[in-house]
Amino acid sequence: MGAVRTISRPGARGQRSRPLRVAFEHLAAGYPVTIDRYCSDTRDDRQSIMLLSCAAWAAQRGAEVEVIWEPESRRRGAAADVVFIVLFSVAAYALKNAIEAYRAQTDGCIVVCGPHAVSFPEHCYRAGADAIVKKCDQALFLQILDDVGQGRLQRSYATTRSIDRLPHYSEFQARGFVPAQGFRNALASTGCPYTCSFCTDAETNFSTIDAADVVADIASCDEKLIVFNDPLFGLGEHGKAIMHGLSGLGDRYAMGFTTSSALRQPEMRRLFTDAGFVLLEVGLENIHADYAKNRRSDLIDICAQCPFFIIVNYIYGLSARDFEQETTSYLVELTEKCPNVLPMVFVPFSLPETGLHQDHLAQGRIFDPSYLCIGNEILSMRLPLQMTPADYYHRLDALNERLYIDHNARMREWVLTHPGITPDRRRVMLDIVRRQGHEEDAASAWSAAISRAAPDDFRPFAQDVLGAAVPDFAGYDLAWKPAGDKT
Ligand code: SF4
């Protein structure tokens, strides 16, 4: 780490006679990995506000900037002095091929950023990255551009500074960085004040972006549907100030992650409603684990009172008691009493950079430490009972089938008849119901591919799943670690 790679290119080392050429791409996976697809008929939620902000900062610095949205347009990054590739690990199988496609077009630097660079830096290097970036801010990003310009790119960059201001979305639009797509992403805070041992955001201090500026940014943008990418939205006075500001705008609709504790507060439920929230995502965590905050809780009554959709995430199989009838009954009751709840049942997973992961490793619970299964859906941990992966998915599929039977129709009926949903909100929410119906087909095909590949013993099977789900998967170079490599 920290080694200097000298790049010899015309114009390097301060003798540049033309602007720096900078390209950005958010690398996406070719299979359904997210339920955040309720905002657009044509696009997945692939806007990284940090990527767009860096693009704006580069342009403000005088660079020629290109934001690349489609893989087939990657050749447009030709002659870039530096390409920034942002990705979650679910798209990591495509990283080496993407880097090689750029290498064929440019002799510039290739820098990998985003969650995958944080979790699997060694894979990024093996895939051909010149450098990786972990947490970033404007000052660090501009330093990277300077290092590129001077041929002094380092292997790894990170900062602990927090971000308190970002460029406005209207600037991204004006510079042609984002296509019109019927929604926009936003960021009102970074990090988290809580310290859940399984979560990477627990390591990042909670810091807020100026509330008045967040509202001004949203007010100045013509996209009406706002997707907040904050790890948790609405905490404390900062969240309330933003929601008051959004209420004043009157014609915005929003989605975001929050906590079940926030939903427990009548004031917060009212604020979310008045601010135009149509969907919130919360973690039910695990109703049996030591750290659970929601065991046999009042959450069902609370969700039933909310005039918006709630995605409830639940990790199934961390506790042996998850496989008892009590758990199924609880989730069924939640879904039946709350047609506005979408249960998302995930497999036990473990992110490599958490302390919990080290504990799991020490206990021999991780049977697939590869990046291929970092998607909350492909099992990588042993289960607390004598149960094979094949048995596990048999139970998981049965649970999901039970939870989702007729659910889309009940959601639709709930939206149409709920007295607290205004006609404008109803229109936006019916669109969500329609997209959820479409997504069910894709999600079912993906689940079937996982279940078919799940073996009767604990051996890695993510590669088999992707082989069935990703077109031309055999053509991807996984940059897999050689046998015996412990990185
Ligand atoms: S799981 Fe949620 S509450 Fe816990 S540290 Fe992560 S973002 Fe914060």
Side-chain angles (χ1 to χ4, degrees):
M1 298 293 163
V4 173
R5 176 183 189 266
T6 301
I7 302 158
S8 62
R9 277 181 297 97
R13 297 193 182 283
Q15 298 159 28
R16 182 173 305 284
S17 57
R18 58 167 177 77
L20 202 67
R21 294 179 183 135
V22 187
F24 296 86
E25 178 183 357
H26 190 149
L27 197 63
Y31 58 94
V33 290
T34 169
I35 39 72
D36 295 342
R37 294 183 169 209
Y38 300 149
C39 13
S40 168
D41 286 335
T42 53
R43 302 206 64 84
D44 304 340
D45 180 355
R46 269 197 280 157
Q47 298 174 341
S48 162
I49 289 296
M50 273 309 291
L51 178 155
L52 292 166
S53 298
C54 290
W57 291 327
Q60 291 163 7
R61 191 36 108 75
E64 286 177 10
V65 176
E66 181 182 19
V67 179
I68 295 165
W69 285 93
E70 303 298 341
E72 59 271 22
S73 68
R74 190 175 291 133
R75 67 178 67 85
R76 290 188 310 187
D81 297 300
V82 57
V83 178
F84 291 91
I85 303 177
V86 179
L87 70 155
F88 287 86
S89 294
V90 288
Y93 66 86
L95 182 61
K96 189 166 191 294
N97 294 38
I99 290 175
E100 285 176 359
Y102 280 118
R103 289 265 183 247
Q105 304 290 331
T106 175
D107 62 357
C109 312
I110 299 193
V111 181
V112 176
C113 326
H116 189 65
V118 174
S119 298
F120 294 100
E122 294 305 324
H123 172 256
C124 299
Y125 296 132
R126 261 195 305 275
D130 296 313
I132 60 149
V133 187
K134 298 187 175 181
K135 191 166 181 280
C136 191
D137 70 348
Q138 183 177 10
L140 180 62
F141 177 72
L142 294 179
Q143 181 200 327
I144 297 169
L145 289 192
D146 286 344
D147 287 352
V148 169
Q150 293 169 19
R152 292 182 52 82
L153 188 72
Q154 298 177 35
R155 289 284 274 174
S156 176
Y157 292 89
T159 181
T160 54
R161 292 183 297 262
S162 52
I163 295 172
D164 58 7
R165 216 168 185 86
L166 290 164
H168 284 192
Y169 197 83
S170 51
E171 179 176 354
F172 307 149
Q173 291 178 309
R175 293 185 184 277
F177 292 164
V178 280
Q181 55 189 11
F183 74 99
R184 57 156 291 182
N185 291 61
L187 208 51
S189 64
T190 53
C192 181
Y194 302 112
T195 54
C196 306
S197 56
F198 55 83
C199 178
T200 50
D201 284 314
E203 296 294 311
T204 306
N205 291 337
F206 183 59
S207 70
T208 55
I209 296 166
D210 181 74
D213 197 52
V214 171
V215 176
D217 171 14
I218 289 167
S220 67
C221 165
D222 54 7
E223 295 285 13
K224 305 292 189 204
L225 182 58
I226 320 299
V227 181
F228 283 98
N229 291 158
D230 306 35
L232 290 177
F233 180 84
L235 299 186
E237 293 308 310
H238 172 260
K240 291 178 185 174
I242 291 175
M243 286 195 273
H244 280 300
L246 291 178
S247 306
L249 299 181
D251 63 346
R252 297 300 196 273
Y253 307 96
M255 304 180 179
F257 300 91
T258 192
T259 63
S260 52
S261 318
L263 285 187
R264 283 195 162 78
Q265 302 167 38
E267 180 196 7
M268 292 297 284
R269 296 200 292 274
R270 196 175 58 252
L271 283 172
F272 279 125
T273 306
D274 293 347
F277 275 81
V278 289
L279 183 148
L280 283 159
E281 184 166 351
V282 298
L284 183 54
E285 298 154 1
N286 186 296
I287 53 176
H288 307 295
D290 291 343
Y291 53 75
K293 298 176 194 138
N294 299 307
R295 61 188 91 194
R296 300 308 301 162
S297 72
D298 51 350
L299 196 74
I300 295 176
D301 294 337
I302 288 163
C303 289
Q305 293 171 38
C306 294
F308 39 74
F309 294 123
I310 306 169
I311 292 174
V312 174
N313 295 321
Y314 184 72
I315 301 172
Y316 179 67
L318 273 180
S319 161
R321 293 183 58 200
D322 280 344
F323 303 109
E324 295 172 4
Q325 182 58 35
E326 179 196 15
T327 305
T328 302
S329 300
Y330 178 74
L331 293 172
V332 167
E333 185 184 347
L334 173 67
T335 315
E336 287 188 345
K337 286 191 173 162
C338 306
N340 57 325
V341 162
L342 283 162
M344 287 296 139
V345 186
F346 293 126
V347 308
F349 69 103
S350 173
L351 292 168
E353 67 274 30
T354 60
L356 189 65
H357 186 85
Q358 296 310 316
D359 291 346
H360 287 319
L361 271 180
Q363 291 164 22
R365 292 195 68 192
I366 311 281
F367 70 90
D368 184 353
S370 79
Y371 59 80
L372 289 176
C373 45
I374 303 292
N376 301 1
E377 289 151 351
I378 304 178
L379 200 62
S380 58
M381 288 176 61
R382 289 174 190 275
L383 299 160
L385 286 181
Q386 289 291 339
M387 182 182 291
T388 67
D391 292 339
Y392 172 82
Y393 281 102
H394 187 67
R395 285 172 182 255
L396 180 65
D397 290 347
L399 176 62
N400 273 322
E401 252 171 56
R402 178 70 184 83
L403 297 179
Y404 275 96
I405 188 164
D406 297 332
H407 196 54
N408 189 266
R410 292 194 310 115
M411 279 172 73
R412 187 166 191 282
E413 182 67 16
W414 176 82
V415 174
L416 286 171
T417 56
H418 195 295
I421 299 176
T422 59
D424 282 350
R425 279 168 63 83
R426 182 164 293 139
R427 180 181 47 77
V428 176
M429 293 173 79
L430 284 175
D431 260 354
I432 293 175
V433 174
R434 181 177 52 78
R435 291 188 190 109
Q436 196 270 339
H438 287 176
E439 285 304 313
E440 271 190 24
D441 293 341
S444 300
W446 169 236
S447 302
I450 299 176
S451 295
R452 271 197 302 275
D456 285 322
D457 56 0
F458 285 98
R459 61 182 161 79
F461 63 99
Q463 217 163 325
D464 299 338
V465 176
L466 296 184
V470 176
D472 303 322
F473 183 71
Y476 287 97
D477 187 332
L478 305 183
W480 200 242
K481 58 185 169 188
D485 183 343
K486 301 289 186 211
T487 57

